Amino acid sequence: MTPETNFKLTYATMFNPPEELHTRFDEALAALKPNLGKEHGMIIDSKEHFTTEKFEDRSPTDTNLLLGVFQKGTTADANLAMDAAARAFPMWSRTPWQERVCLLRKAADIMDQRTFEMGAVVSLEVGKNRMEAIGDVAETADLIRYSCDRMEANNGFIVELGNDPLVGFTSRNTSVLRPYGVWLVISPFNFPAALTGGPAGAALVTGNTLVMKPATDTPWTVRLIAECFRDAGIPAGVFNYVSGPGSTVGQALIDHPQVAGITFTGSYDVGMKIGRDFSSGKWTRPAILELGGKNPVIVSRHANLDDAATGIVRSAFGLQGQKCSALSRIFIERPVYDTLLAKVVDLTSKLVVGDPTARTSNMGPVVNKAAYRDYQAFCSELNTAGKILTGGKVITDGSYANGYFCTPTVVSGVPADHRLWQEEMFLPITMAAPFDTLEEAMARANNVLYGLTAGFYGSEQEVEWFFDKIEAGVTYANRPQGATTGAWPGFQPFGGWKGSGSSGKNAGGHYYLPLYMHEQIHTIVKRG
Ligand code: NAP
Ligand code: MG
């Protein structure tokens, strides 16, 4: 429970929001409006840092709305941030882990106090509906707390080992996990708070120092995360916030010789290149890569079709299909294909697309002009390859004229070998196909580069089969709350197999923190 509210925010709250949540969000949004369009610096070594070149952050809901002006970082700024983080590492890594936990819990508490303000920024900046926007921020604080809890539960990852028998000597052996050095966090636009703050919290609590760079579409949200670290009293240089294009300042950070490790969340192509860069230096450096998805659901004829339809629509169109866990492939057993698809189309056509900050909107705009153009190109391609059952159009009239609004789109009849069964579209478009045997459905479900999330609806016996055969890191069965989406720290640690992730361990999970440290064995021998 946040100190400021009388309820605990989780993904589940999003379905039954208390009235207070709406009131608080509306107040925060109103308070924010007079502050739009201001300039924001980078934060390097705890100091405001400005560059000659700037870039504008505009809302995808209305491109006339200037949210803020941000610094367009260069290699020189990347170097400054890296140097500050490198200087702070000896001190921070030797700060007792209990003190680090204390400071990070304080940062999480500050995020709680600012949840609604930050949620309003996320909604304006990304185009997330208010529930999802608040959720992104609440999840960030929970991810940071989870890292603190794991540090504590594992006693700072110091483990006494067996003492090897030596005649005439006594030995004492200890395993210690120690931080790597300067850790880079490069995050995507779609969960700018959680996917920056979560890994940042893990890197910091384990004793690494931090440089973080947000997506060009979401510099403001990440600036606010940095402010929470600063206001918690995390020392200068320990965390640094750099903004600017991935291809320039991002690449300069990656190429910097001081970088000890990275958590990159984003697309497959950029992530795989980073992975190669990190393994081709003088030694291999850790690269935690959280990449794309092409997430399937399989629905058997034994499924509860209403639950399936609800879960499918939520996961296909939440955040306009721009979640790495979004449901993009629906496989339905033939006898229930028409009935289920009719339910899906019916629910989809009832979704309200509009201003994401408005209480009534289910879906906001897609994130930028490139995504908007992609949507139109994919729809035109799919209209030829198959049949668009609902959606397929952009909305441009009245208040929609200056935003990137797309209708949620369900497509059927696309041949199995079409490229769009393979490629992540990252848009409110989902494709359905019938199957005759569960084995055939599983073969198709697994026949992609990715293995992030997956869903199933059917009998209990079939569920066991599904968990056994599916190649994915986060899997759900018979879940109306979301077929493939809606993970929450502590409940569903998040990560992918195959092309969806590099570490094989999920973020916010049991095995996550050790990824940020290397092991050192201490053996001390005494005569006698
Ligand atoms: P993206 O285009 O790959 O960008 C991700 C981040 O990388 C951005 O900060 C971007 O900066 C930066 N970047 C781009 N090129 C770079 C380079 N050469 N060197 C260093 N940094 C570089 O991804 P996105 O469109 O923001 O996000 C969508 C993707 O993220 C999807 O594929 C989605 O599935 C994936 N995702 C995965 C997870 C997961 O947990 N597995 C979660 C969320 C999203 P700029 O914005 O300035 O280009
Ligand atoms: Mg923008």
Side-chain angles (χ1 to χ4, degrees):
M1 198 152 64
T2 72
E4 298 278 295
T5 57
N6 297 313
F7 53 90
K8 166 85 183 134
L9 281 167
T10 70
Y11 191 73
T13 326
M14 309 298 136
F15 297 115
N16 299 300
E19 194 53 34
E20 187 190 342
L21 184 147
H22 289 298
T23 322
R24 298 290 303 276
F25 184 87
D26 288 329
E27 285 166 7
L29 186 65
L32 203 61
K33 290 251 161 103
N35 293 318
L36 300 183
K38 291 193 173 155
E39 182 169 351
H40 302 275
M42 302 190 199
I43 302 181
I44 297 178
D45 216 4
S46 279
K47 290 191 275 291
E48 295 287 338
H49 179 77
F50 296 90
T51 54
T52 327
E53 273 198 83
K54 321 280 175 192
F55 68 98
E56 291 181 341
D57 182 11
R58 289 181 177 271
S59 177
T61 303
D62 176 356
T63 53
N64 291 326
L65 193 60
L66 180 66
L67 301 178
V69 175
F70 289 82
Q71 312 307 310
K72 192 168 177 182
T74 61
T75 303
D77 307 300
N79 292 345
L80 268 184
M82 291 301 308
D83 292 345
R87 275 196 310 275
F89 180 69
M91 173 277 298
W92 182 245
S93 58
R94 289 174 180 83
T95 299
W97 62 265
Q98 293 90 339
E99 277 179 43
R100 296 197 302 256
V101 162
C102 223
L103 285 168
L104 281 147
R105 285 208 173 117
K106 202 159 167 198
D109 289 345
I110 294 171
M111 278 170 209
D112 279 347
Q113 283 153 19
R114 298 183 73 175
T115 298
F116 291 95
E117 174 207 357
M118 289 170 71
V121 169
V122 171
S123 186
L124 290 170
E125 193 172 51
V126 183
K128 276 192 199 206
N129 76 30
R130 59 166 65 184
M131 256 10 120
E132 300 260 12
I134 295 167
D136 189 356
V137 181
E139 181 176 0
T140 311
D142 274 8
L143 281 167
I144 293 172
R145 279 195 199 94
Y146 189 79
S147 285
C148 293
D149 294 350
R150 297 312 303 161
M151 203 67 187
E152 245 169 24
N154 289 284
N155 187 33
F157 293 91
I158 300 162
V159 178
E160 294 300 330
L161 302 172
N163 298 327
D164 42 338
L166 300 170
V167 178
F169 294 87
T170 323
S171 81
R172 209 180 82 211
N173 303 320
T174 313
S175 157
V176 184
L177 292 193
R178 301 186 61 183
Y180 280 100
V182 178
W183 202 272
L184 200 54
V185 171
I186 297 187
S187 53
F189 76 84
N190 66 339
F191 283 83
L195 296 176
T196 317
L204 290 173
V205 82
T206 49
N208 298 280
T209 52
L210 173 75
V211 178
M212 49 188 186
K213 191 211 86 73
T216 295
D217 286 315
T218 52
W220 197 5
T221 306
V222 178
R223 156 90 205 187
L224 295 173
I225 301 271
E227 289 178 13
C228 294
F229 289 144
R230 180 195 63 197
D231 297 344
I234 294 177
V238 171
F239 70 95
N240 300 277
Y241 156 75
V242 172
S243 53
S247 52
T248 54
V249 73
Q251 191 62 47
L253 289 167
I254 283 172
D255 293 340
H256 198 282
Q258 283 283 2
V259 179
I262 184 171
T263 306
F264 170 84
T265 311
S267 59
Y268 174 84
D269 288 342
V270 177
M272 289 300 282
K273 182 183 175 300
I274 291 174
R276 283 191 292 272
D277 286 353
F278 269 61
S279 59
S280 68
K282 280 189 189 155
W283 57 79
T284 301
R285 289 165 298 166
I288 304 174
L289 309 172
E290 311 285 359
L291 310 179
K294 188 70 183 173
N295 310 297
V297 67
I298 299 174
V299 186
S300 99
R301 64 202 151 97
H302 304 298
N304 176 321
L305 298 186
D306 290 315
D307 284 354
T310 307
I312 284 170
V313 172
R314 281 185 171 148
S315 289
F317 303 119
L319 182 50
Q320 297 76 265
Q322 302 167 116
K323 294 186 186 179
C324 51
S325 55
L327 170 61
S328 57
R329 300 180 296 141
I330 310 169
F331 301 114
I332 307 171
E333 200 164 357
R334 203 175 295 274
V336 295
Y337 183 73
D338 289 337
T339 315
L340 177 56
L341 213 48
K343 286 178 191 284
V344 167
V345 167
D346 178 51
L347 289 177
T348 302
S349 60
K350 288 180 180 145
L351 291 173
V352 178
V353 182
D355 175 355
T357 63
R359 183 173 177 163
T360 44
S361 297
N362 302 113
M363 291 172 57
V366 298
V367 71
N368 56 30
K369 191 180 243 172
Y372 191 59
R373 285 196 182 135
D374 282 352
Y375 171 86
Q376 294 170 74
F378 288 139
C379 285
S380 127
E381 188 175 344
L382 289 168
N383 195 30
T384 311
K387 187 165 181 235
I388 292 182
L389 302 176
T390 181
K393 293 191 169 57
V394 295
I395 319 176
T396 53
D397 54 313
S399 62
Y400 295 90
N402 297 313
Y404 304 122
F405 292 96
C406 302
T407 49
T409 304
V410 181
V411 188
S412 70
V414 178
D417 60 357
H418 193 276
R419 73 177 184 107
L420 292 181
W421 282 111
Q422 299 290 329
E423 286 174 30
E424 183 183 45
M425 288 184 268
F426 224 57
L427 288 163
I429 302 174
T430 194
M431 292 156 70
F435 66 82
D436 292 306
T437 66
L438 283 170
E439 278 64 33
E440 172 201 340
M442 185 58 77
R444 281 192 77 178
N446 283 336
N447 181 28
V448 284
L449 182 65
Y450 299 107
L452 194 50
T453 71
F456 181 79
Y457 296 89
S459 71
E460 276 182 30
Q461 210 181 354
E462 290 168 335
V463 165
E464 289 310 311
W465 163 86
F466 166 73
F467 286 146
D468 181 48
K469 299 284 183 191
I470 193 74
E471 296 165 1
V474 187
T475 64
Y476 303 97
N478 295 331
R479 187 165 176 266
Q481 292 80 5
T484 60
T485 54
W488 196 265
F491 306 122
Q492 291 91 12
F494 197 80
W497 292 12
K498 294 156 65 177
S500 293
S502 67
S503 72
K505 305 293 179 293
N506 292 7
H510 216 72
Y511 313 103
Y512 189 57
L513 280 196
L515 300 175
Y516 289 81
M517 295 173 282
H518 41 193
E519 186 167 10
Q520 189 173 56
I521 302 298
H522 297 171
T523 290
I524 314 175
V525 174
K526 241 182 15 193
R527 283 189 177 275

